Amino acid sequence: MTEHSSDLDAFIAGLPKAELHIHIEGSLEPEQMFDFARRNRVALPFRTVEEIRAAYQFTRLQDFLDIYYEGAKVLLSAEDFHDLGMAYFRRLAADSGRHAEVFFDPQTHTDRGLPFGVAAEGLLAAMDEAERELGVTSKLILCFLRHLDEDAAFATLKAAEPWLDRIAGVGLDSSELGHPPSKFARVFHAAGERGLKRVAHAGEEGPPQYVWEALDVLRVDRIDHGNRALEDQALTARLAADGVTLTVCPLSNQKLCVVDDMAAHPLPLMLALGLKATVNSDDPAYFGGYLNANYRAVAQATGLSREALAELARNSFTGSFLDTGQVAGHLAEIDRYVAAQT
Ligand code: ADE
Ligand code: ZN
């Protein structure tokens, strides 16, 4: 017998957790898009919030990316990025989120003429405020856009120089197919030499080979998504043996047709195979839900137990870039929560 869904929802609601895969530009809600457009006198191709939501019908990653880059054009000032960040952190705190490792796409903004510091300063101010006022900690990860070339990624790393002491790592996102991780071998090496952590989207739409490259060429600390790694047994064994964290995004996978049906989502299989899977929202404003909505959707559709949910939450901290003392504190909080619930 699976647990009654409202009991499981309540368990998820209070479960302490971290989010390791959130694109801050993907948390731009349609209402905020209108507010920022008005504030910045930017014309939008939509008249109502409903029209915007109705446009969010995707059959693959690129359909989403086209609209996501359009939406980001309303973000013009450090205040916009601060407000965007704070709105996200408030939602995370309401979901019992204790920590987030937040992606941003500087090239989406510098290519529109904004200096690097506009997005960076606005987000860093929100991160400080979230820690002070909500008790939510966070780290910032700068993502390179893989549809652009490696020189552009190097220019971005250079532009980031004054902020690197406040940036935890680099990532790789945007259109996966045709843009293998090896295209960014040198810039990831340079980032590693500067002491930055490394993560990369791989195996969302791209083949297992891209996951191998992320591990062996980019030397990443985590894989973002990783769904297609399951097609390759040797790769699955490697990920399990090395304890590589996968930042899995259930509602994103459903919305972008990476899975046909949530009931067939590979998350339970990943756990059964000993993989360090986590649950994340990716681009919550576009995919229909924040962190707890992702836990609920996959738990209800696949019948995850409380033990599995607690394991996912534990993985979110052990896979984070927090130091070991902080991780231990969060794991102890999960243990206390689980003990009090049973
Ligand atoms: N940028 C924002 N969300 C993304 C995703 N799910 N995959 C690749 N690039 C992205
Ligand atoms: Zn993503």
Side-chain angles (χ1 to χ4, degrees):
M1 252 296 269
T2 51
E3 189 172 346
H4 194 275
S5 75
S6 62
D7 294 342
L8 205 63
D9 290 356
F11 179 78
I12 290 168
L15 181 64
K17 54 185 81 69
E19 174 145 67
L20 304 181
H21 186 155
I22 164 74
H23 301 263
I24 202 66
E25 296 90 346
S27 72
L28 177 65
E29 290 287 339
E31 291 81 2
Q32 274 177 316
M33 207 184 280
F34 275 109
D35 289 346
F36 292 141
R38 207 172 300 120
R39 186 198 259 180
N40 294 325
R41 300 179 197 286
V42 175
L44 280 180
F46 302 104
R47 281 168 308 161
T48 63
V49 163
E50 292 69 33
E51 259 185 42
I52 299 187
R53 288 197 201 282
Y56 293 173
Q57 305 290 341
F58 317 116
T59 55
R60 58 198 176 107
L61 174 59
Q62 194 60 49
D63 297 343
F64 154 70
L65 290 171
D66 292 343
I67 215 161
Y68 160 86
Y69 294 129
E70 269 309 301
K73 290 182 180 168
V74 302
L75 299 164
L76 287 183
S77 67
E79 186 188 3
D80 298 339
F81 285 93
H82 164 272
D83 294 354
L84 182 69
M86 277 311 294
Y88 165 72
F89 287 123
R90 278 191 209 98
R91 292 197 190 247
L92 184 66
D95 277 355
S96 302
R98 304 287 191 255
H99 176 71
E101 305 202 340
V102 175
F103 296 145
F104 78 123
D105 288 341
Q107 289 157 294
T108 299
H109 315 302
T110 53
D111 285 0
R112 295 183 287 124
L114 302 191
F116 184 93
V118 169
E121 289 293 343
L123 293 173
L124 289 165
M127 291 163 64
D128 289 344
E129 191 173 324
E131 185 158 356
R132 263 195 331 268
E133 296 188 3
L134 304 170
V136 171
T137 58
S138 56
K139 293 184 184 286
L140 190 57
I141 298 177
L142 169 180
C143 286
F144 301 121
L145 297 180
R146 69 200 307 158
H147 67 272
L148 302 177
D149 63 23
E150 195 183 33
D151 286 348
F154 265 113
T156 303
L157 189 59
K158 190 163 187 331
E161 206 81 60
W163 290 273
L164 284 188
D165 59 335
R166 301 192 66 199
I167 291 177
V170 297
L172 187 65
D173 66 1
S174 193
S175 321
E176 188 180 7
L177 289 170
H179 302 286
S182 51
K183 181 178 164 186
F184 297 91
R186 284 161 303 176
V187 75
F188 267 66
H189 182 75
E193 286 193 323
R194 285 168 173 73
L196 294 166
K197 299 284 189 189
R198 286 159 285 178
V199 300
H201 284 55
E204 179 183 19
E205 284 189 344
Q209 175 61 24
Y210 286 19
V211 180
W212 283 112
E213 286 185 14
L215 294 172
D216 291 335
V217 181
L218 304 187
R219 311 200 71 78
V220 294
D221 298 282
R222 291 196 294 252
I223 296 285
D224 295 315
H225 296 291
N227 300 49
R228 290 196 57 194
L230 297 179
E231 294 169 22
D232 180 333
Q233 263 187 23
L235 176 58
T236 305
R238 161 81 181 277
L239 291 167
D242 288 359
V244 178
T245 297
L246 305 181
T247 64
V248 180
C249 306
L251 288 172
S252 165
N253 291 162
Q254 184 177 47
K255 209 60 183 155
L256 299 184
C257 306
V258 168
V259 296
D260 298 333
D261 179 3
M262 192 63 92
H265 196 282
L267 195 71
L269 177 61
M270 289 171 168
L271 294 179
L273 292 168
L275 298 173
K276 297 280 182 206
T278 59
V279 169
N280 306 273
S281 69
D282 204 2
D283 300 282
Y286 292 87
F287 300 150
Y290 286 78
L291 191 49
N292 285 358
N294 277 272
Y295 274 81
R296 286 194 302 270
V298 71
Q300 282 165 13
T302 69
L304 289 178
S305 64
R306 288 184 181 213
E307 295 80 72
L309 292 164
E311 183 181 348
L312 290 163
R314 285 193 188 94
N315 290 347
S316 73
F317 291 109
T318 54
S320 76
F321 297 140
L322 290 169
D323 65 39
T324 49
Q326 292 170 307
V327 171
H330 289 296
L331 296 181
E333 194 197 1
I334 293 178
D335 288 346
R336 286 195 301 275
Y337 178 75
V338 171
Q341 298 290 309
T342 45

